[in-house]
Amino acid sequence: MRVSTSKLQQMAIYTTLLTGAGCGTMYYLLQKNFSRSDYHRLALEQLKANQTAMDSLGAPPLKVHNIHLSDRHNRVEPYTAEIKIPVTGSKDGGYLYTSSVRDPQTLGWNLTQAVLQLREGQRIDLLTFTPPPNKTEGLETGNWSS
């Protein structure tokens, strides 16, 4: 039985379209799973809570981009997760490098590292708290009457 060339071409086109649609759907579902995960959510909450980092980005508005699935910095295992989240604001952009561990008892995720690396080279550790400068520092208070 002979098959015409045009039928083979049609079959190749349909197969290509179906494969492309399947790959696109899989990519979308993987990105959706990453963005809904606790380790992703915890990292972004930590970023949004750090006013220095948000000011450096020029956020709000904060734009969180899709994770590069082929990047070697992105690894998720049953009890550890290391991801590199691309973020941008109106002034600058960069990557939020995060590391999380899963508590075997509660199965909840705990953020162990969150560092914002800006394109300009500045690194901001989001987990170290630096208190605001003391407002009275440098003032001479010895002559004040109580």
Side-chain angles (χ1 to χ4, degrees), residues 5-93:
T5 306
S6 66
K7 293 286 183 188
L8 288 174
Q9 287 175 338
Q10 285 179 349
M11 195 165 111
I13 290 170
Y14 290 134
T15 303
T16 303
L17 287 175
L18 286 174
T19 302
C23 289
T25 302
M26 188 64 122
Y27 179 81
Y28 169 76
L29 291 174
L30 283 170
Q31 290 293 342
K32 188 174 164 184
N33 282 344
F34 266 118
S35 66
R36 288 186 175 173
S37 65
D38 284 341
Y39 46 84
H40 189 276
R41 182 185 51 79
L42 288 170
L44 290 177
E45 285 175 1
Q46 194 70 35
L47 173 62
K48 290 175 183 175
N50 189 306
Q51 194 59 47
T52 303
M54 293 295 280
D55 290 343
S56 296
L57 288 167
L62 177 66
K63 174 76 174 150
V64 180
H65 302 277
N66 286 340
I67 291 173
H68 303 290
L69 297 176
S70 61
D71 193 328
R72 65 181 175 86
H73 289 97
N74 296 322
R75 287 190 338 222
V76 178
E77 296 171 4
Y79 290 96
T80 59
E82 294 179 0
I83 55 174
K84 177 179 153 185
I85 306 169
V87 293
T88 55
S90 61
K91 287 198 290 189
D92 201 1

Side-chain angles (χ1 to χ4, degrees), residues 91-145:
K91 287 198 290 189
D92 201 1
Y95 291 100
L96 178 57
Y97 291 89
T98 69
S99 181
S100 300
V101 294
R102 193 172 199 174
D103 185 345
Q105 302 298 321
T106 64
L107 297 180
W109 289 94
N110 297 311
L111 194 62
T112 58
Q113 177 189 12
V115 176
L116 177 64
Q117 175 73 46
L118 297 173
R119 286 187 202 127
E120 294 178 354
Q122 183 182 6
R123 289 177 55 95
I124 302 170
D125 187 348
L126 304 178
L127 294 181
T128 57
F129 175 73
T130 51
N134 188 352
K135 298 288 185 192
T136 60
E137 192 173 321
L139 292 177
E140 182 61 45
T141 58
N143 295 332
W144 290 6
S145 60

